[in-house]
């Protein structure tokens, strides 16, 4: 779920919004003109470069924000995974006293 929210969603969201907008516009043009040839010509000229750039920028902003607002404080101590009484205890961060 974390990968979906921090990588895939921001990367694909601009393209999904644009394609949804094109679908709505194509239907409006077809309803108004009785045919959708103008919308079809516009749909073939999708600005893939701008959509990809918007996705990369949105992903970078998401990853930057998660870096700034997640995690432990700078003085925290990392305790690596270890065995306690035969059970594996996952690694964690401990705040200093």
């Amino acid at each position: 779920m974390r990968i979906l929210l921090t990588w895939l969603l921001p990367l694909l969201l601009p393209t999904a919004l644009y394609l949804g907008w094109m679908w709505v516009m194509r239907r409006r043009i077809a309803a108004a003109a009785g045919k959708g040839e103008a919308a079809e010509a516009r749909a073939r000229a999708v600005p893939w470069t701008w959509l990809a750039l918007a996705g990369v920028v949105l992903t970078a902003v998401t990853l930057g924000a998660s870096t700034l607002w997640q995690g432990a404080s700078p003085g925290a101590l990392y305790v690596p995974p270890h065995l306690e009484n035969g059970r594996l205890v996952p690694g964690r961060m401990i705040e200093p006293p």
Side-chain angles (χ1 to χ4, degrees):
M1 188 65 164
R2 182 181 66 85
I3 291 172
L4 176 72
L5 292 176
T6 58
W7 285 96
L8 294 179
L9 184 65
L11 193 59
L12 298 176
L13 187 63
T15 303
L17 290 174
Y18 179 78
L19 293 176
W21 177 78
M22 284 299 297
W23 180 74
V24 169
M25 287 294 113
R26 185 179 303 139
R27 293 192 65 180
R28 282 187 181 176
I29 290 172
K35 54 188 171 186
E37 289 140 10
E40 291 297 326
R42 221 191 275 162
R44 279 185 242 120
V46 175
W48 293 110
T49 304
W50 289 108
L51 292 174
L53 182 63
V56 168
V57 167
L58 190 57
T59 302
V61 167
T62 302
L63 292 174
S66 67
T67 300
L68 292 174
W69 288 299
Q70 285 184 351
S73 65
L77 177 68
Y78 175 67
V79 178
H82 60 280
L83 289 174
E84 273 185 18
N85 299 325
R87 291 183 45 220
L88 181 63
V89 177
R92 62 186 185 278
M93 300 296 285
I94 298 176
E95 296 294 328

